[in-house]
Amino acid sequence: MAKTGMYVGLDIGTTSVKVVVAEYIDSQMNIIGVGNAKSEGINRGIIVDIDKTVQAIQRAVRQAEEKAGIQIKSVNVGLPANLLEVESCQGMIAVNSESKEITDEDVRNVASAALVRSTPPERQIVSILPQEFTVDGFEGIKDPRGMIGVRMEMFGLVFTGPKTIVHNIRKCVERAGLVVSELVITPLALTESILSDGEKDFGTIVIDMGGGQTTTSVMHDKQLKFTHVNQEGGEFVTKDISIVLNTSFNNAEALKINYGDAYPERTSASEEFPVDIIGKSEPIKIDERYLSEVIEARIEQIFRKSKEVLDEIDGLDLPGGVILTGGAASLPGVVDLAQEIFDTNVKLYVPNHMGLRNPVFTNVISIVDYSANLTEVYHLAKTAITGEKTISTQQPVASPKEVTYETYPEVEEQHYESPDEHSTGENVKGKISDFFKNIFD
């Protein structure tokens, strides 16, 4: 159950850094502050320039603070799914106390037992998610504290990621003058927050179409079973338009927003609009159908790569179908094209919060919502990773006061230099253990 208090979410994306301040009253989320700053230093979802990323975080945080009227001290930060690995884990201990009543310490110990594994030096354990406990053979227990038992087992999931990505995210947040309250795996938060209980149970695919990458996630049996990252996103569409029409990146982005459609059958070859061409003094006329065909080519490629990995695990057989979200998913015609390629039910998820009814804010809202609903049992299991002796309660904001920054003063906005997206880039695919390959059998 969500707690009462304030929570802050931070989403460091390729095209923008977003911050949301939410106040929970009786488990009801009320968003009271939003910040959105253009990203610099992020390439295809990965931090490549710490200084520029810090400046973008500070700009977004400053906006959110001004609107919420508070000073942000700590944040819950989204961790992308790049090279994320999901594995099942199991631990078993004997209950320590003489009375055999299960305590917080027992939960920590059984989580520690579940984490006994060999982790490559370039990777680290990011999170452990308890699924259920078994006490003396009695299964399906969510919180065993206070129960009597001799032997306790814990079954859960362990998430591991590259040390480089985790370190760079923490470094940027800390240099921005903030504390990381929770490092949230973005696809986990997304699937937990936007799916209904039935969709989580029976199985649903969530495709998050960001600016620099597209993340495909599978939730089944109320667990995140699979993630895959394709290093193509909405900016690749813009770059394609820029190259094909020989126009600037900014003009291409405006064309995509104002006239773009990913489904050519919905457009007209007779409807034309002017385009400023580099090297020509006068604009030329381009028709809607031609622009749509350029957009369709890239979006179709993105979807077919997702379909390829989903076919390997029979993911498209799940009854929940496909749910699209993310900034690139809001382009007209994307749902129709996805329906045609995946040949299953496809729908677009749009947040239902005043002023934030745009898929571009789905991730950051999900990060806040997921963090607010984390249980004490989760936090106890987490201490097996952090080594903390007590559960740290989140204090994300302080009393209203004037906000000052001592590091990284505001710098002049620089033109965003997009990568060479005309090449498709490399697919980054998470490890699929035999356990997850057979989850749909």
Side-chain angles (χ1 to χ4, degrees), residues 81 83-85 226-229 428-432:
L83 295 176
L84 177 71
E85 294 182 5
F226 171 80
T227 63
H228 171 266
V229 176
V428 181
K429 181 175 181 181
K431 171 186 172 185
I432 314 173

Side-chain angles (χ1 to χ4, degrees), residues 252-287:
E253 182 70 15
L255 291 172
K256 182 180 74 173
I257 294 173
N258 296 326
Y259 304 103
D261 196 303
Y263 205 63
E265 285 79 357
R266 296 168 18 131
T267 61
S268 170
S270 60
E271 293 290 334
E272 297 182 331
F273 46 85
V275 178
D276 292 326
I277 302 299
I278 296 174
K280 293 185 180 293
S281 57
E282 297 293 331
I284 66 170
K285 295 286 187 179
I286 298 294
D287 64 78

Side-chain angles (χ1 to χ4, degrees), residues 12-38:
I12 306 174
T14 301
T15 55
S16 65
V17 173
K18 292 168 283 292
V19 175
V20 161
V21 181
E23 183 179 21
Y24 278 81
I25 300 175
D26 294 333
S27 302
Q28 184 68 37
M29 175 197 282
N30 299 302
I31 294 177
I32 61 174
V34 180
N36 190 9
K38 184 176 180 180

Side-chain angles (χ1 to χ4, degrees), residues 11 39 41 61 73 84 90 96 98 138 148 170 174 186 212 231 235 266 289 293 312 320 327 334 411 413 440:
D11 177 33
S39 285
V61 168
K73 293 289 190 180
L84 177 71
Q90 178 182 355
N96 285 328
E98 293 184 4
F138 293 97
I148 296 294
R170 285 189 177 275
E174 290 169 0
T186 302
Q231 301 288 13
E235 282 197 346
R266 296 168 18 131
R289 177 65 59 86
E293 288 172 350
E312 293 179 10
V334 167
V411 298
E413 287 286 341
F440 305 116

Side-chain angles (χ1 to χ4, degrees), residues 155-186:
F155 300 87
L157 298 177
V158 170
F159 300 87
T160 63
K163 284 184 177 179
T164 300
I165 293 178
V166 177
H167 171 81
N168 289 347
I169 289 176
R170 285 189 177 275
K171 189 74 171 178
C172 288
V173 174
E174 290 169 0
R175 290 182 69 171
L178 303 167
V179 175
V180 177
S181 288
E182 193 71 41
L183 198 59
V184 178
I185 297 167
T186 302

